[in-house]
Every structure is written in structure tokens, then in C-alpha cells.
Amino acid sequence: MSSHLTKYLNSIPIKEDNYKVDFIILERYQSFSSEILRLSLLGLSIYGFLITNVIFKITDKEDKLMSIESFSDNKVLLLLGAVTLILAALVTLGHRYLSTHCMTHFIKGLRLRQNISEIESTIANDKNEFITLSKKIDNEQSSFEKNFNLCGWLLFASCLFLITGILIVTIALACFFNDILMI
């Protein structure tokens, strides 16, 4: 952002009523994504606990580890479950970053639109500067819309990865324990 535009943005006050509802909505979306992040990290923790403290501790009567063969047979599913939960966490973090960045564009655009007449009067003598400023306002709006749409897709993808990860982990563990019972 140019220092000229920064000067205008810093001096433009905005009323809390103009953005309060938007921040409440943002907070709700971010609370939802926090839950997805929490659940995916909790799923990874439980998954790691089960693998290290249950799967690799199953022994037979002679203290021989029974789970290595079954673990090897199901390693692709077990790995895929962990990777999917990691993707859920990463996509959720991306959503949280972009949704905050989206609100930055929203506030910049709001400040510029709220006092556009003040900005026009201070730069009325320089048409090129006004055209440049208008392009920057359009860029803020365009960036806001792109980030807003991407945030929706990221939130959807994080939910999908979480659900898929939980299903894969459940199937992988079921296959593993089924193989153990067959031994």
C-alpha cells in the first residue's frame, strides 16, 4: 500500500455500527473453524496415542509383538488417515488467516467509501492521483471478494477433510484390529 493511501486511511474514522455485525459474523465463522482445528488436532493426538500405546503394545503369550504384520498390511490406510487430519488442520488455519485478511480489505474499502468525498476534495487538482486511488479502491474490493469466496471453499474443504480423516482412521483401525483378531 502506498504511503499516500495509508495517510488517507489512517485519518478516516469509521463508526463501529458500520462494521460491528461483520466482525460478529467473522467471529462465528472463526469459532467454527477453531472447532474444526481442535477436532482435527484432537483426532491426531488420539490416533497417535492409539498407535504408540495400544497397537505397538499388543503382544502374544511369549511377549512377541503381534501387531507389526497387521500394521504393515494397513499402513497406507493408517497413513492416509493421519495425512487427511493434518490437511483438515492446515486448511482450517488457511481459512482463519484468509478470513482475517478478508476483513482487512473490508475495513480498507469501508474507510475509503465512507469518506470518498473528503478524499476527492483533497486530490481534486490531480486527476491521475484520483484515478490511481480509484483503482486501489477497486483492487481492495476485488481482493475482498476473492478472499471471501476462497474462505468459503476453505471452510468447506476443512470440514470435508475432517470427516474424511475420521472415517479413514476408523476404517484403518477397524481393519487393523480385525487382522489382529484373525491371528
Side-chain angles (χ1 to χ4, degrees):
M1 178 185 291
S2 73
S3 60
H4 185 70
L5 186 55
T6 303
K7 179 178 90 176
Y8 287 116
L9 288 178
N10 290 337
S11 65
I12 300 173
I14 53 176
K15 296 178 185 175
E16 185 179 0
D17 292 345
N18 291 344
Y19 63 86
K20 186 176 181 179
V21 172
D22 298 295
F23 275 98
I24 290 170
I25 293 169
L26 172 67
E27 185 179 313
R28 299 247 170 106
Y29 274 110
Q30 287 199 341
S31 293
F32 181 69
S33 70
S34 292
E35 286 303 309
I36 295 171
L37 179 62
R38 186 181 65 79
L39 289 172
S40 61
L41 293 175
L42 182 64
L44 281 168
S45 300
I46 292 170
Y47 195 43
F49 174 81
L50 286 174
I51 288 174
T52 58
N53 292 322
V54 175
I55 291 177
F56 288 131
K57 301 248 173 152
I58 299 173
T59 58
D60 60 9
K61 295 175 186 170
E62 294 127 19
D63 273 346
K64 182 180 174 189
L65 196 59
M66 295 174 50
S67 59
I68 295 297
E69 187 177 319
S70 180
F71 185 81
S72 294
D73 292 344
N74 295 300
K75 67 183 172 194
V76 173
L77 267 179
L78 292 164
L79 180 64
L80 188 59
V83 167
T84 308
L85 288 173
I86 290 169
L87 284 174
L90 291 175
V91 172
T92 301
L93 288 172
H95 167 264
R96 292 177 59 77
Y97 170 77
L98 274 178
S99 63
T100 302
H101 193 63
C102 186
M103 289 309 289
T104 302
H105 290 296
F106 175 76
I107 293 297
K108 286 178 187 176
L110 182 63
R111 286 179 185 230
L112 290 171
R113 283 187 300 278
Q114 183 173 325
N115 288 316
I116 193 73
S117 61
E118 178 184 322
I119 294 169
E120 286 174 342
S121 67
T122 58
I123 60 173
N125 297 333
D126 189 354
K127 298 263 185 209
N128 288 333
E129 192 172 349
F130 179 75
I131 291 169
T132 302
L133 183 59
S134 295
K135 287 180 183 178
K136 288 184 182 193
I137 292 170
D138 292 341
N139 286 340
E140 289 297 331
Q141 183 64 30
S142 175
S143 294
F144 169 78
E145 289 172 5
K146 286 177 190 174
N147 286 349
F148 185 77
N149 290 331
L150 186 56
C151 283
W153 283 108
L154 287 175
L155 194 58
F156 175 77
S158 65
C159 290
L160 191 63
F161 281 128
L162 177 65
I163 292 167
T164 304
I166 290 170
L167 287 173
I168 291 172
V169 166
T170 304
I171 292 168
L173 291 173
C175 290
F176 172 81
F177 286 117
N178 186 43
D179 289 350
I180 289 294
L181 292 174
M182 296 296 213
I183 293 177

